[in-house]
Amino acid sequence: MKRAFILMCLAAVMAHPAVASESNLYLGVGYGQADYEGETIRNITLQPGQKLEDSTHFAEIYLGFQVSKHVALELGYADFGEVEETYRLNPDIVYIVSPNDTEEVDAKRLSLSTLLSYPASDSLSLYVLLGYTYFDVDRRMSG
């Protein structure tokens, strides 16, 4: 699934000049790293002091419409991937059934923005991005 998403993003980048020359629509992609840091676990069945600390790569894609020379509207989507941490069980407890000891976190973002630009010189433009972002973070404990 992630490979298909990345290939779709690459295809969007290659198609960008064709789209931009015919209309006010544009396509963009991004790639980066997301760092996750959870709270310290406070569960009696697990060893104290443990927490989720991990990082993953993410991809984003956005579609924009140039309303005027200085104003554009953008719709964006980013998938921050999934991270997983398996915690050490508390050795002082005898378990009949193994407790949930694995935490999984999955995050996605959807955004709607207005992009304002101002040309400061021939080679420099200033940008302001104003908008709304919705984050969907799923956190699960399993065992």
Side-chain angles (χ1 to χ4, degrees), residues 96-108:
I96 296 172
V97 176
S98 180
N100 294 336
D101 64 347
T102 302
E103 181 179 17
E104 299 171 354
V105 178
D106 182 30
K108 295 172 178 40

Side-chain angles (χ1 to χ4, degrees), residues 117-138:
S117 64
Y118 178 77
S121 69
D122 290 338
S123 60
L124 177 68
S125 291
L126 303 174
Y127 291 93
V128 174
L129 185 68
L130 304 169
Y132 175 78
T133 298
Y134 172 76
F135 274 95
D136 180 25
V137 179
D138 292 326

Side-chain angles (χ1 to χ4, degrees), residues 89-101:
L89 298 176
N90 188 339
D92 297 332
I93 299 176
V94 176
Y95 303 99
I96 296 172
V97 176
S98 180
N100 294 336
D101 64 347

